[in-house]
Amino acid sequence: MAIIKAGDCVGILYFTTMGAPATVHDGVLVSPARLDSRTFNGQVTILHYNINRKTGHLFRQLITATPIEIRKTPFRQSDQTERCTGALPSPSIPAGSCVAVKFKVTPSSAFPAGREVKNGRLLCPIKNGNNPPNKVWIYHWKVRNPNSDDPSLFLELKSYSSVTFVEKARVFPLPKVKRQITCFINGKVSECFLTKHE
């Protein structure tokens, strides 16, 4: 669908520095309240979960950028076949929710706490995000041809294992600490903002 509304799960594609590969972030659209992805040409703000790599704790960010491309993350009930087991009468996190999934990774210099996070749209309902199933499926966006002048988004449905925590994305209260970064859109400098919840 081309119409995207605030609260929808989305992926945005943009350049952060001249000559750098294109970057994609998944999250929840905060503003504008409504846009048509086929014709929109302006700034958007999304809420995105990140992780403190030293402690493994999640934090929320607001990312404001002028995207090359923005897409609404779909949900297909047919994809649940053979991936979701059993029905949950009252799951705490319903299928189709925008989520952050925290999972174990091998400790390294990049992830000393041994934890990573992915944002996306949940395929199978979860009864308790504090005690999630070991494997969780989400839809999220990736970049095709990130080093080219014409990168684009493509959708991936992927399972993550060794999951320790799943949170349904919380937009409010909004994070308040703002840091400015520079983005390059079509070779021109554009102001982008990264807001970190502290």
Side-chain angles (χ1 to χ4, degrees), residues 146-161:
N147 294 299
S148 74
D149 293 331
D150 189 28
S152 61
L153 293 173
F154 70 94
L155 186 69
E156 179 179 60
L157 173 56
K158 184 174 180 178
S159 66
Y160 290 90
S161 300

Side-chain angles (χ1 to χ4, degrees), residues 52 84 86 95 108 145 159:
N52 182 314
C84 302
S108 65
N145 301 319
S159 66

Side-chain angles (χ1 to χ4, degrees), residues 105-147:
V105 294
T106 302
S108 65
S109 58
F111 298 99
R115 296 291 187 274
E116 174 62 297
V117 65
K118 291 293 180 182
N119 295 250
R121 193 166 186 184
L122 186 66
L123 178 66
C124 307
I126 292 177
K127 184 176 182 179
N128 183 353
N130 291 307
N131 185 26
N134 180 67
K135 183 167 70 173
V136 174
W137 289 87
I138 61 170
Y139 299 93
H140 67 108
W141 296 97
K142 298 191 72 174
V143 188
R144 182 180 288 110
N145 301 319
N147 294 299

